[in-house]
Amino acid sequence: IAISNESGSLKHQQLIEKYNTIKSNNRINLNKNKVLIDLINNFLNLISDYNKDNTLFVYGSNRANRAVTYDENDLTVLEDCPLIDCPILMIEDNACILIKYPTIDNYIENYTSDYAMESPFELGTWLVDLLTVGVYSHEIMACDIQTHPITRDRLLGFLPLSWNPKIVMKHMSKLFGNRKVLWHFVRAYISMLTYLCDYQWANKSLIIDVLQKLCSNYKVSSDLKASEDKISLTKALSHVYYNYSTCLRDRTYTDVMAILKIINLLYPEIVNQQIE
């Protein structure tokens, strides 16, 4: 009508008045429902943010998905580590090992699965292949190196040799769990370093010393399950060794073999006493 011969006619004016009335009513209804509309928009934004974050990392279990995410600033202080002379920087600093990239794309999903959580010592046997030659200083990572200085492997990051369970868990989770608070990584770390001692180039005495202190500091249930009584992992390993029929019967074969290997390496006196 506006561009026809009827432009300016009574019919045109009536339509304009009707349009203005509807527009006014819509504005009034919009103001009335503003709070509700804001809530709906906030909810839609929340869903959008959740879906966006959810596509970045896929966890392997509901437990991992629900776990608290720690602040990466917690990693700025590195303590409870042995000091070594770095073969690259020629300085004395906290000892660290360099980790290369996993060969699988969905490694976070695999390492945070229910299976990995229930068999954390077996998880350590998966991770040992990611360890690289040598022990280096923490300072070398400040150089932002992308490849290993000797093997030229592409690096995922580093792990400190530490006897502090919190430091171990957080650094393991930074690499393999997207900074989720997941304590099964401490057991995987102990198993991983135990198997590392099979390599000729490994500093076996240094690793054993760190692991023995870590096992003394790390509190777990006596049967290595989710019970309330908490004792050092050192005592728990002794307990499950002497009570294997009840404590180890529902664990996977590889998980049990890893536990026995840890005991043989760190506490051979337990095995010798049993033989006697």
Side-chain angles (χ1 to χ4, degrees), residues 95-142:
C96 295
I97 49 177
L98 305 181
I99 308 299
K100 61 185 178 182
Y101 264 89
T103 55
I104 56 175
D105 294 329
N106 59 337
Y107 62 89
I108 289 181
E109 183 178 359
N110 279 9
Y111 302 158
T112 60
S113 66
D114 283 320
Y115 185 92
M117 289 186 178
E118 295 300 324
S119 305
F121 298 102
E122 179 176 349
L123 172 59
T125 68
W126 306 348
L127 300 178
V128 70
D129 290 336
L130 305 182
L131 300 177
T132 60
V133 175
V135 178
Y136 302 93
S137 66
H138 178 230
E139 187 67 25
I140 198 173
M141 295 311 298

mmCIF file of all heavy atoms in Angstrom, residues 95-142:
data_model
loop_
_atom_site.group_PDB
_atom_site.id
_atom_site.type_symbol
_atom_site.label_atom_id
_atom_site.label_comp_id
_atom_site.label_asym_id
_atom_site.label_seq_id
_atom_site.Cartn_x
_atom_site.Cartn_y
_atom_site.Cartn_z
ATOM 1 N N ALA A 95 65.245 -31.781 39.942
ATOM 2 C CA ALA A 95 65.313 -32.823 38.915
ATOM 3 C C ALA A 95 63.968 -33.037 38.234
ATOM 4 O O ALA A 95 62.925 -33.121 38.890
ATOM 5 C CB ALA A 95 65.791 -34.137 39.540
ATOM 6 N N CYS A 96 64.001 -33.131 36.921
ATOM 7 C CA CYS A 96 62.788 -33.369 36.130
ATOM 8 C C CYS A 96 63.099 -34.351 34.999
ATOM 9 O O CYS A 96 64.250 -34.505 34.588
ATOM 10 C CB CYS A 96 62.272 -32.064 35.521
ATOM 11 S SG CYS A 96 61.723 -30.838 36.719
ATOM 12 N N ILE A 97 62.038 -34.990 34.528
ATOM 13 C CA ILE A 97 62.155 -35.853 33.353
ATOM 14 C C ILE A 97 61.238 -35.305 32.271
ATOM 15 O O ILE A 97 60.192 -34.737 32.557
ATOM 16 C CB ILE A 97 61.795 -37.319 33.680
ATOM 17 C CG1 ILE A 97 60.467 -37.401 34.436
ATOM 18 C CG2 ILE A 97 62.891 -37.990 34.459
ATOM 19 C CD1 ILE A 97 60.014 -38.815 34.741
ATOM 20 N N LEU A 98 61.656 -35.460 31.016
ATOM 21 C CA LEU A 98 60.910 -34.920 29.890
ATOM 22 C C LEU A 98 59.999 -35.992 29.302
ATOM 23 O O LEU A 98 60.393 -37.154 29.161
ATOM 24 C CB LEU A 98 61.873 -34.391 28.830
ATOM 25 C CG LEU A 98 62.887 -33.347 29.333
ATOM 26 C CD1 LEU A 98 63.778 -32.874 28.195
ATOM 27 C CD2 LEU A 98 62.189 -32.178 29.997
ATOM 28 N N ILE A 99 58.787 -35.575 28.942
ATOM 29 C CA ILE A 99 57.751 -36.500 28.461
ATOM 30 C C ILE A 99 57.422 -36.187 27.014
ATOM 31 O O ILE A 99 57.140 -35.035 26.662
ATOM 32 C CB ILE A 99 56.474 -36.369 29.323
ATOM 33 C CG1 ILE A 99 56.807 -36.514 30.806
ATOM 34 C CG2 ILE A 99 55.440 -37.402 28.888
ATOM 35 C CD1 ILE A 99 57.402 -37.839 31.195
ATOM 36 N N LYS A 100 57.451 -37.205 26.176
ATOM 37 C CA LYS A 100 57.107 -36.990 24.773
ATOM 38 C C LYS A 100 55.603 -37.206 24.552
ATOM 39 O O LYS A 100 54.904 -37.748 25.411
ATOM 40 C CB LYS A 100 57.911 -37.926 23.872
ATOM 41 C CG LYS A 100 57.703 -39.406 24.106
ATOM 42 C CD LYS A 100 58.650 -40.220 23.238
ATOM 43 C CE LYS A 100 58.489 -41.718 23.491
ATOM 44 N NZ LYS A 100 59.439 -42.520 22.683
ATOM 45 N N TYR A 101 55.128 -36.786 23.414
ATOM 46 C CA TYR A 101 53.707 -36.872 23.111
ATOM 47 C C TYR A 101 53.265 -38.329 22.969
ATOM 48 O O TYR A 101 53.981 -39.144 22.385
ATOM 49 C CB TYR A 101 53.398 -36.144 21.800
ATOM 50 C CG TYR A 101 52.927 -34.730 21.991
ATOM 51 C CD1 TYR A 101 53.832 -33.681 22.042
ATOM 52 C CD2 TYR A 101 51.574 -34.434 22.134
ATOM 53 C CE1 TYR A 101 53.405 -32.368 22.218
ATOM 54 C CE2 TYR A 101 51.140 -33.131 22.311
ATOM 55 C CZ TYR A 101 52.056 -32.109 22.351
ATOM 56 O OH TYR A 101 51.621 -30.820 22.535
ATOM 57 N N PRO A 102 52.074 -38.654 23.504
ATOM 58 C CA PRO A 102 51.525 -40.002 23.275
ATOM 59 C C PRO A 102 51.249 -40.211 21.793
ATOM 60 O O PRO A 102 51.043 -39.245 21.039
ATOM 61 C CB PRO A 102 50.218 -39.978 24.080
ATOM 62 C CG PRO A 102 50.383 -38.874 25.084
ATOM 63 C CD PRO A 102 51.231 -37.843 24.403
ATOM 64 N N THR A 103 51.227 -41.447 21.396
ATOM 65 C CA THR A 103 50.990 -41.763 19.985
ATOM 66 C C THR A 103 49.501 -41.828 19.660
ATOM 67 O O THR A 103 49.134 -41.925 18.493
ATOM 68 C CB THR A 103 51.632 -43.116 19.628
ATOM 69 O OG1 THR A 103 51.129 -44.132 20.525
ATOM 70 C CG2 THR A 103 53.137 -43.034 19.754
ATOM 71 N N ILE A 104 48.643 -41.790 20.694
ATOM 72 C CA ILE A 104 47.201 -41.817 20.470
ATOM 73 C C ILE A 104 46.635 -40.410 20.646
ATOM 74 O O ILE A 104 47.117 -39.630 21.463
ATOM 75 C CB ILE A 104 46.489 -42.797 21.422
ATOM 76 C CG1 ILE A 104 46.810 -42.462 22.884
ATOM 77 C CG2 ILE A 104 46.886 -44.225 21.101
ATOM 78 C CD1 ILE A 104 46.043 -43.322 23.879
ATOM 79 N N ASP A 105 45.592 -40.083 19.879
ATOM 80 C CA ASP A 105 45.015 -38.745 19.922
ATOM 81 C C ASP A 105 44.160 -38.519 21.167
ATOM 82 O O ASP A 105 44.147 -37.433 21.732
ATOM 83 C CB ASP A 105 44.169 -38.495 18.667
ATOM 84 C CG ASP A 105 45.014 -38.468 17.394
ATOM 85 O OD1 ASP A 105 46.186 -38.064 17.492
ATOM 86 O OD2 ASP A 105 44.504 -38.853 16.335
ATOM 87 N N ASN A 106 43.434 -39.543 21.575
ATOM 88 C CA ASN A 106 42.483 -39.405 22.695
ATOM 89 C C ASN A 106 43.092 -39.871 24.012
ATOM 90 O O ASN A 106 42.456 -40.570 24.793
ATOM 91 C CB ASN A 106 41.199 -40.176 22.391
ATOM 92 C CG ASN A 106 41.441 -41.650 22.167
ATOM 93 O OD1 ASN A 106 42.544 -42.048 21.814
ATOM 94 N ND2 ASN A 106 40.432 -42.466 22.379
ATOM 95 N N TYR A 107 44.328 -39.481 24.265
ATOM 96 C CA TYR A 107 45.013 -40.011 25.444
ATOM 97 C C TYR A 107 44.380 -39.527 26.751
ATOM 98 O O TYR A 107 44.349 -40.271 27.735
ATOM 99 C CB TYR A 107 46.510 -39.690 25.399
ATOM 100 C CG TYR A 107 46.876 -38.232 25.401
ATOM 101 C CD1 TYR A 107 47.078 -37.542 26.591
ATOM 102 C CD2 TYR A 107 47.052 -37.542 24.203
ATOM 103 C CE1 TYR A 107 47.433 -36.205 26.595
ATOM 104 C CE2 TYR A 107 47.405 -36.208 24.200
ATOM 105 C CZ TYR A 107 47.592 -35.541 25.391
ATOM 106 O OH TYR A 107 47.938 -34.219 25.393
ATOM 107 N N ILE A 108 43.854 -38.305 26.785
ATOM 108 C CA ILE A 108 43.207 -37.831 28.015
ATOM 109 C C ILE A 108 41.991 -38.696 28.332
ATOM 110 O O ILE A 108 41.752 -39.061 29.491
ATOM 111 C CB ILE A 108 42.817 -36.344 27.889
ATOM 112 C CG1 ILE A 108 44.070 -35.478 27.914
ATOM 113 C CG2 ILE A 108 41.867 -35.928 29.012
ATOM 114 C CD1 ILE A 108 43.805 -33.991 27.824
ATOM 115 N N GLU A 109 41.239 -39.038 27.317
ATOM 116 C CA GLU A 109 40.079 -39.913 27.519
ATOM 117 C C GLU A 109 40.513 -41.276 28.051
ATOM 118 O O GLU A 109 39.886 -41.832 28.964
ATOM 119 C CB GLU A 109 39.315 -40.078 26.206
ATOM 120 C CG GLU A 109 38.049 -40.911 26.324
ATOM 121 C CD GLU A 109 37.284 -41.016 25.017
ATOM 122 O OE1 GLU A 109 37.731 -40.432 24.017
ATOM 123 O OE2 GLU A 109 36.234 -41.697 24.997
ATOM 124 N N ASN A 110 41.583 -41.821 27.495
ATOM 125 C CA ASN A 110 42.070 -43.131 27.938
ATOM 126 C C ASN A 110 42.602 -43.093 29.369
ATOM 127 O O ASN A 110 42.321 -43.978 30.177
ATOM 128 C CB ASN A 110 43.184 -43.611 27.003
ATOM 129 C CG ASN A 110 42.649 -44.226 25.728
ATOM 130 O OD1 ASN A 110 41.458 -44.151 25.457
ATOM 131 N ND2 ASN A 110 43.515 -44.797 24.933
ATOM 132 N N TYR A 111 43.364 -42.060 29.690
ATOM 133 C CA TYR A 111 44.038 -41.998 30.990
ATOM 134 C C TYR A 111 43.115 -41.549 32.126
ATOM 135 O O TYR A 111 43.505 -41.630 33.296
ATOM 136 C CB TYR A 111 45.240 -41.064 30.911
ATOM 137 C CG TYR A 111 46.262 -41.469 29.868
ATOM 138 C CD1 TYR A 111 47.164 -40.539 29.349
ATOM 139 C CD2 TYR A 111 46.331 -42.778 29.381
ATOM 140 C CE1 TYR A 111 48.104 -40.899 28.396
ATOM 141 C CE2 TYR A 111 47.254 -43.143 28.433
ATOM 142 C CZ TYR A 111 48.143 -42.200 27.931
ATOM 143 O OH TYR A 111 49.069 -42.567 26.978
ATOM 144 N N THR A 112 41.896 -41.075 31.787
ATOM 145 C CA THR A 112 40.926 -40.693 32.816
ATOM 146 C C THR A 112 39.707 -41.609 32.810
ATOM 147 O O THR A 112 38.680 -41.279 33.386
ATOM 148 C CB THR A 112 40.454 -39.233 32.612
ATOM 149 O OG1 THR A 112 39.834 -39.101 31.317
ATOM 150 C CG2 THR A 112 41.611 -38.263 32.713
ATOM 151 N N SER A 113 39.833 -42.750 32.162
ATOM 152 C CA SER A 113 38.717 -43.702 32.094
ATOM 153 C C SER A 113 38.539 -44.424 33.426
ATOM 154 O O SER A 113 39.427 -44.419 34.286
ATOM 155 C CB SER A 113 38.977 -44.732 30.987
ATOM 156 O OG SER A 113 40.104 -45.532 31.323
ATOM 157 N N ASP A 114 37.378 -45.045 33.587
ATOM 158 C CA ASP A 114 37.135 -45.847 34.793
ATOM 159 C C ASP A 114 38.161 -46.970 34.897
ATOM 160 O O ASP A 114 38.606 -47.315 35.999
ATOM 161 C CB ASP A 114 35.712 -46.431 34.769
ATOM 162 C CG ASP A 114 34.657 -45.392 35.133
ATOM 163 O OD1 ASP A 114 34.908 -44.589 36.054
ATOM 164 O OD2 ASP A 114 33.602 -45.370 34.497
ATOM 165 N N TYR A 115 38.523 -47.534 33.750
ATOM 166 C CA TYR A 115 39.505 -48.624 33.766
ATOM 167 C C TYR A 115 40.844 -48.137 34.309
ATOM 168 O O TYR A 115 41.469 -48.791 35.151
ATOM 169 C CB TYR A 115 39.690 -49.179 32.355
ATOM 170 C CG TYR A 115 40.604 -50.393 32.304
ATOM 171 C CD1 TYR A 115 40.071 -51.674 32.400
ATOM 172 C CD2 TYR A 115 41.992 -50.261 32.177
ATOM 173 C CE1 TYR A 115 40.899 -52.803 32.363
ATOM 174 C CE2 TYR A 115 42.822 -51.379 32.152
ATOM 175 C CZ TYR A 115 42.269 -52.636 32.237
ATOM 176 O OH TYR A 115 43.090 -53.725 32.218
ATOM 177 N N ALA A 116 41.287 -46.969 33.838
ATOM 178 C CA ALA A 116 42.571 -46.417 34.304
ATOM 179 C C ALA A 116 42.518 -46.081 35.783
ATOM 180 O O ALA A 116 43.500 -46.270 36.506
ATOM 181 C CB ALA A 116 42.925 -45.182 33.489
ATOM 182 N N MET A 117 41.372 -45.607 36.242
ATOM 183 C CA MET A 117 41.248 -45.247 37.658
ATOM 184 C C MET A 117 41.225 -46.480 38.551
ATOM 185 O O MET A 117 41.746 -46.456 39.674
ATOM 186 C CB MET A 117 39.971 -44.423 37.881
ATOM 187 C CG MET A 117 40.039 -43.035 37.306
ATOM 188 S SD MET A 117 38.580 -42.076 37.756
ATOM 189 C CE MET A 117 38.978 -40.510 36.985
ATOM 190 N N GLU A 118 40.640 -47.542 38.066
ATOM 191 C CA GLU A 118 40.575 -48.772 38.854
ATOM 192 C C GLU A 118 41.865 -49.582 38.750
ATOM 193 O O GLU A 118 42.127 -50.440 39.588
ATOM 194 C CB GLU A 118 39.383 -49.629 38.395
ATOM 195 C CG GLU A 118 38.019 -49.006 38.653
ATOM 196 C CD GLU A 118 37.769 -48.744 40.122
ATOM 197 O OE1 GLU A 118 38.214 -49.554 40.971
ATOM 198 O OE2 GLU A 118 37.135 -47.719 40.446
ATOM 199 N N SER A 119 42.658 -49.313 37.729
ATOM 200 C CA SER A 119 43.937 -50.024 37.545
ATOM 201 C C SER A 119 45.056 -49.005 37.337
ATOM 202 O O SER A 119 45.724 -48.989 36.294
ATOM 203 C CB SER A 119 43.850 -50.977 36.349
ATOM 204 O OG SER A 119 42.767 -51.868 36.477
ATOM 205 N N PRO A 120 45.293 -48.147 38.325
ATOM 206 C CA PRO A 120 46.257 -47.050 38.137
ATOM 207 C C PRO A 120 47.700 -47.509 37.977
ATOM 208 O O PRO A 120 48.486 -46.853 37.292
ATOM 209 C CB PRO A 120 46.079 -46.221 39.412
ATOM 210 C CG PRO A 120 45.588 -47.192 40.442
ATOM 211 C CD PRO A 120 44.710 -48.141 39.684
ATOM 212 N N PHE A 121 48.044 -48.649 38.608
ATOM 213 C CA PHE A 121 49.421 -49.143 38.461
ATOM 214 C C PHE A 121 49.644 -49.683 37.054
ATOM 215 O O PHE A 121 50.737 -49.574 36.510
ATOM 216 C CB PHE A 121 49.706 -50.210 39.518
ATOM 217 C CG PHE A 121 49.597 -49.693 40.932
ATOM 218 C CD1 PHE A 121 48.481 -49.962 41.710
ATOM 219 C CD2 PHE A 121 50.604 -48.915 41.480
ATOM 220 C CE1 PHE A 121 48.371 -49.478 43.007
ATOM 221 C CE2 PHE A 121 50.514 -48.426 42.775
ATOM 222 C CZ PHE A 121 49.380 -48.712 43.540
ATOM 223 N N GLU A 122 48.601 -50.241 36.462
ATOM 224 C CA GLU A 122 48.687 -50.656 35.065
ATOM 225 C C GLU A 122 48.829 -49.439 34.160
ATOM 226 O O GLU A 122 49.570 -49.479 33.167
ATOM 227 C CB GLU A 122 47.451 -51.461 34.663
ATOM 228 C CG GLU A 122 47.470 -51.904 33.207
ATOM 229 C CD GLU A 122 46.295 -52.777 32.816
ATOM 230 O OE1 GLU A 122 45.557 -53.229 33.720
ATOM 231 O OE2 GLU A 122 46.107 -53.009 31.603
ATOM 232 N N LEU A 123 48.135 -48.359 34.502
ATOM 233 C CA LEU A 123 48.267 -47.128 33.726
ATOM 234 C C LEU A 123 49.726 -46.693 33.651
ATOM 235 O O LEU A 123 50.187 -46.224 32.607
ATOM 236 C CB LEU A 123 47.411 -46.026 34.357
ATOM 237 C CG LEU A 123 47.565 -44.612 33.780
ATOM 238 C CD1 LEU A 123 47.226 -44.589 32.302
ATOM 239 C CD2 LEU A 123 46.676 -43.632 34.544
ATOM 240 N N GLY A 124 50.456 -46.876 34.743
ATOM 241 C CA GLY A 124 51.876 -46.525 34.735
ATOM 242 C C GLY A 124 52.669 -47.300 33.709
ATOM 243 O O GLY A 124 53.643 -46.782 33.143
ATOM 244 N N THR A 125 52.257 -48.543 33.435
ATOM 245 C CA THR A 125 52.957 -49.344 32.432
ATOM 246 C C THR A 125 52.683 -48.820 31.021
ATOM 247 O O THR A 125 53.475 -49.047 30.115
ATOM 248 C CB THR A 125 52.543 -50.829 32.514
ATOM 249 O OG1 THR A 125 51.175 -50.986 32.110
ATOM 250 C CG2 THR A 125 52.692 -51.358 33.927
ATOM 251 N N TRP A 126 51.549 -48.136 30.837
ATOM 252 C CA TRP A 126 51.268 -47.507 29.541
ATOM 253 C C TRP A 126 52.133 -46.261 29.350
ATOM 254 O O TRP A 126 52.583 -45.980 28.239
ATOM 255 C CB TRP A 126 49.802 -47.089 29.432
ATOM 256 C CG TRP A 126 48.778 -48.144 29.688
ATOM 257 C CD1 TRP A 126 48.989 -49.490 29.791
ATOM 258 C CD2 TRP A 126 47.376 -47.937 29.883
ATOM 259 N NE1 TRP A 126 47.802 -50.144 30.051
ATOM 260 C CE2 TRP A 126 46.789 -49.215 30.104
ATOM 261 C CE3 TRP A 126 46.558 -46.822 29.900
ATOM 262 C CZ2 TRP A 126 45.430 -49.390 30.339
ATOM 263 C CZ3 TRP A 126 45.193 -46.983 30.130
ATOM 264 C CH2 TRP A 126 44.632 -48.260 30.345
ATOM 265 N N LEU A 127 52.348 -45.543 30.446
ATOM 266 C CA LEU A 127 53.018 -44.245 30.361
ATOM 267 C C LEU A 127 54.533 -44.337 30.260
ATOM 268 O O LEU A 127 55.181 -43.378 29.838
ATOM 269 C CB LEU A 127 52.647 -43.393 31.584
ATOM 270 C CG LEU A 127 51.156 -43.085 31.785
ATOM 271 C CD1 LEU A 127 50.948 -42.275 33.053
ATOM 272 C CD2 LEU A 127 50.594 -42.345 30.572
ATOM 273 N N VAL A 128 55.097 -45.468 30.640
ATOM 274 C CA VAL A 128 56.555 -45.572 30.681
ATOM 275 C C VAL A 128 57.171 -45.360 29.296
ATOM 276 O O VAL A 128 58.304 -44.872 29.177
ATOM 277 C CB VAL A 128 56.990 -46.939 31.274
ATOM 278 C CG1 VAL A 128 56.671 -48.083 30.334
ATOM 279 C CG2 VAL A 128 58.466 -46.920 31.642
ATOM 280 N N ASP A 129 56.424 -45.670 28.244
ATOM 281 C CA ASP A 129 56.943 -45.478 26.889
ATOM 282 C C ASP A 129 57.065 -44.002 26.508
ATOM 283 O O ASP A 129 57.688 -43.680 25.487
ATOM 284 C CB ASP A 129 56.040 -46.185 25.868
ATOM 285 C CG ASP A 129 56.127 -47.699 25.965
ATOM 286 O OD1 ASP A 129 57.160 -48.194 26.450
ATOM 287 O OD2 ASP A 129 55.159 -48.388 25.576
ATOM 288 N N LEU A 130 56.465 -43.133 27.317
ATOM 289 C CA LEU A 130 56.522 -41.696 27.025
ATOM 290 C C LEU A 130 57.731 -41.022 27.674
ATOM 291 O O LEU A 130 58.004 -39.858 27.406
ATOM 292 C CB LEU A 130 55.238 -41.005 27.507
ATOM 293 C CG LEU A 130 53.917 -41.573 26.988
ATOM 294 C CD1 LEU A 130 52.746 -40.753 27.517
ATOM 295 C CD2 LEU A 130 53.895 -41.599 25.461
ATOM 296 N N LEU A 131 58.435 -41.755 28.526
ATOM 297 C CA LEU A 131 59.611 -41.199 29.192
ATOM 298 C C LEU A 131 60.783 -41.113 28.216
ATOM 299 O O LEU A 131 60.932 -41.956 27.333
ATOM 300 C CB LEU A 131 60.000 -42.069 30.389
ATOM 301 C CG LEU A 131 58.935 -42.212 31.482
ATOM 302 C CD1 LEU A 131 59.421 -43.159 32.559
ATOM 303 C CD2 LEU A 131 58.592 -40.861 32.076
ATOM 304 N N THR A 132 61.594 -40.088 28.390
ATOM 305 C CA THR A 132 62.729 -39.889 27.497
ATOM 306 C C THR A 132 64.043 -39.996 28.277
ATOM 307 O O THR A 132 64.057 -39.976 29.505
ATOM 308 C CB THR A 132 62.655 -38.511 26.819
ATOM 309 O OG1 THR A 132 62.664 -37.497 27.845
ATOM 310 C CG2 THR A 132 61.377 -38.376 25.995
ATOM 311 N N VAL A 133 65.109 -40.107 27.548
ATOM 312 C CA VAL A 133 66.428 -40.326 28.141
ATOM 313 C C VAL A 133 66.858 -39.113 28.975
ATOM 314 O O VAL A 133 66.724 -37.966 28.545
ATOM 315 C CB VAL A 133 67.470 -40.580 27.037
ATOM 316 C CG1 VAL A 133 68.860 -40.679 27.631
ATOM 317 C CG2 VAL A 133 67.127 -41.844 26.262
ATOM 318 N N GLY A 134 67.370 -39.397 30.169
ATOM 319 C CA GLY A 134 68.014 -38.360 30.952
ATOM 320 C C GLY A 134 67.169 -37.738 32.050
ATOM 321 O O GLY A 134 65.945 -37.880 32.083
ATOM 322 N N VAL A 135 67.847 -37.052 32.964
ATOM 323 C CA VAL A 135 67.225 -36.252 34.017
ATOM 324 C C VAL A 135 67.776 -34.844 33.874
ATOM 325 O O VAL A 135 68.992 -34.651 33.795
ATOM 326 C CB VAL A 135 67.549 -36.814 35.420
ATOM 327 C CG1 VAL A 135 66.917 -35.936 36.501
ATOM 328 C CG2 VAL A 135 67.044 -38.246 35.551
ATOM 329 N N TYR A 136 66.881 -33.870 33.843
ATOM 330 C CA TYR A 136 67.270 -32.502 33.551
ATOM 331 C C TYR A 136 66.767 -31.546 34.630
ATOM 332 O O TYR A 136 65.994 -31.926 35.511
ATOM 333 C CB TYR A 136 66.728 -32.086 32.173
ATOM 334 C CG TYR A 136 67.204 -32.992 31.066
ATOM 335 C CD1 TYR A 136 66.440 -34.091 30.664
ATOM 336 C CD2 TYR A 136 68.425 -32.777 30.438
ATOM 337 C CE1 TYR A 136 66.876 -34.941 29.666
ATOM 338 C CE2 TYR A 136 68.876 -33.625 29.428
ATOM 339 C CZ TYR A 136 68.097 -34.704 29.052
ATOM 340 O OH TYR A 136 68.545 -35.544 28.067
ATOM 341 N N SER A 137 67.177 -30.295 34.540
ATOM 342 C CA SER A 137 66.762 -29.297 35.520
ATOM 343 C C SER A 137 65.392 -28.734 35.153
ATOM 344 O O SER A 137 64.984 -28.723 33.981
ATOM 345 C CB SER A 137 67.777 -28.156 35.569
ATOM 346 O OG SER A 137 67.772 -27.450 34.345
ATOM 347 N N HIS A 138 64.703 -28.271 36.175
ATOM 348 C CA HIS A 138 63.413 -27.613 35.952
ATOM 349 C C HIS A 138 63.597 -26.363 35.100
ATOM 350 O O HIS A 138 62.724 -25.982 34.304
ATOM 351 C CB HIS A 138 62.788 -27.248 37.306
ATOM 352 C CG HIS A 138 61.485 -26.535 37.191
ATOM 353 N ND1 HIS A 138 61.217 -25.369 37.852
ATOM 354 C CD2 HIS A 138 60.371 -26.827 36.474
ATOM 355 C CE1 HIS A 138 59.989 -24.968 37.571
ATOM 356 N NE2 HIS A 138 59.463 -25.831 36.741
ATOM 357 N N GLU A 139 64.735 -25.721 35.242
ATOM 358 C CA GLU A 139 65.006 -24.477 34.522
ATOM 359 C C GLU A 139 65.006 -24.670 33.010
ATOM 360 O O GLU A 139 64.702 -23.733 32.258
ATOM 361 C CB GLU A 139 66.356 -23.909 34.971
ATOM 362 C CG GLU A 139 66.684 -22.529 34.416
ATOM 363 C CD GLU A 139 65.767 -21.443 34.939
ATOM 364 O OE1 GLU A 139 65.203 -21.621 36.042
ATOM 365 O OE2 GLU A 139 65.614 -20.411 34.250
ATOM 366 N N ILE A 140 65.283 -25.875 32.563
ATOM 367 C CA ILE A 140 65.360 -26.102 31.121
ATOM 368 C C ILE A 140 64.004 -25.914 30.458
ATOM 369 O O ILE A 140 63.896 -25.540 29.292
ATOM 370 C CB ILE A 140 65.943 -27.501 30.806
ATOM 371 C CG1 ILE A 140 66.430 -27.553 29.350
ATOM 372 C CG2 ILE A 140 64.897 -28.597 31.018
ATOM 373 C CD1 ILE A 140 67.160 -28.828 29.010
ATOM 374 N N MET A 141 62.920 -26.142 31.230
ATOM 375 C CA MET A 141 61.586 -25.975 30.663
ATOM 376 C C MET A 141 61.250 -24.496 30.479
ATOM 377 O O MET A 141 60.370 -24.145 29.683
ATOM 378 C CB MET A 141 60.547 -26.650 31.550
ATOM 379 C CG MET A 141 60.696 -28.161 31.642
ATOM 380 S SD MET A 141 60.874 -28.985 30.027
ATOM 381 C CE MET A 141 59.311 -28.578 29.239
ATOM 382 N N ALA A 142 61.935 -23.627 31.223
ATOM 383 C CA ALA A 142 61.724 -22.187 31.035
ATOM 384 C C ALA A 142 62.255 -21.730 29.679
ATOM 385 O O ALA A 142 61.911 -20.649 29.201
ATOM 386 C CB ALA A 142 62.394 -21.409 32.158
#
